[in-house]
Structure formats: structure tokens, C-alpha cells
């Protein structure tokens, strides 16, 4: 944030106290209602701070300015070690279960 001047004069410890700690406390599983509220306020203020310094453009807004996609397929044979590792993966119980071939 210092690079773009959005730190509002805060040093790292002030920034951590204002945003880092409240957000982290509010993310804990056993956070109190007050910690959740403080977290939401810190997040809102942080997003506001970022929005002043960072331009967010969606794909829809810039799609016509983007170059076309250019794929290039380069065949690359597997080494013996890679081939064995790949075969072990395909034959593994987890992979077979993901494919629906085992329960």
C-alpha cells in the first residue's frame, strides 16, 4: 500500500493493529459477535482503502481490448520415472474412487 500511497500514513504496526489483528480475530471459529462486527468494519474500511488505490477491471469491461487466445500444443513424451508415477496415480485407490470405479 505504501507503493501506491494508500497507507494513509500508517506504519506496519499501526496497519496490523487496525486491520490485521481484528480481521484475524474475527475469522476464528470461536469469535464473539463483537469480534465479528469489528472484523466486518475493518474489512469494509480495508476494501475502501484498496479501492482508492487499485483499479479493478472485470473481463467484461476489457474483453474487447484483450488479444485473442493463442494455444500452442507441444508434444513432450514422459520419462520412464514420470510414466511409472503417472501409472501409479491412475491405479491408486483414491483415483479409482474419484473415477467412480471403487467405493
Amino acid at each position: 500500500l505504501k507503493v501506491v500511497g494508500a497507507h494513509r500514513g500508517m506504519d506496519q504496526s499501526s496497519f496490523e493493529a487496525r486491520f490485521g489483528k481484528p480481521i484475524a480475530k474475527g475469522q476464528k471459529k470461536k469469535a464473539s459477535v463483537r469480534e465479528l462486527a469489528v472484523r466486518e468494519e475493518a474489512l469494509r474500511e480495508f476494501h475502501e482503502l484498496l479501492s482508492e488505490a487499485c483499479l479493478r477491471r472485470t473481463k467484461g469491461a476489457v474483453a474487447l481490448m484483450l488479444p485473442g487466445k493463442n494455444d500452442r500444443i507441444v508434444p513432450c513424451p514422459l520419462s520412464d520415472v514420470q510414466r511409472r508415477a503417472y501409472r501409479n496415480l491412475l491405479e491408486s485407490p483414491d483415483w479409482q474412487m474419484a473415477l467412480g470405479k471403487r467405493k
Side-chain angles (χ1 to χ4, degrees):
L1 291 173
K2 281 188 176 185
V3 172
V4 293
H7 63 289
R8 291 186 184 162
M10 286 185 257
D11 61 8
Q12 187 170 351
S13 61
S14 300
F15 188 85
E16 180 66 24
R18 177 63 196 109
F19 299 110
K21 289 178 183 176
I23 291 170
K25 279 185 179 181
Q27 288 177 325
K28 291 186 178 178
K29 193 173 187 177
K30 294 184 179 184
S32 68
V33 173
R34 184 180 183 330
E35 288 170 332
L36 290 171
V38 170
R39 172 187 173 265
E40 289 303 311
E41 176 60 24
L43 278 172
R44 186 196 60 71
E45 188 178 336
F46 182 67
H47 286 154
E48 185 179 302
L49 182 71
L50 279 180
S51 69
E52 294 170 4
C54 298
L55 175 62
R56 181 175 185 271
R57 301 188 307 173
T58 62
K59 183 178 177 181
V62 297
L64 295 176
M65 294 182 272
L66 296 174
K69 186 176 179 182
N70 185 6
D71 289 337
R72 183 174 297 179
I73 298 171
V74 179
C76 181
L78 297 175
S79 70
D80 291 338
V81 172
Q82 291 171 321
R83 191 177 292 105
R84 283 193 303 270
Y86 184 61
R87 192 175 300 121
N88 285 339
L89 170 71
L90 294 177
E91 293 170 357
S92 72
D94 290 339
W95 192 262
Q96 294 297 313
M97 187 170 62
L99 294 174
K101 295 182 178 180
R102 280 192 172 166
K103 290 185 179 183

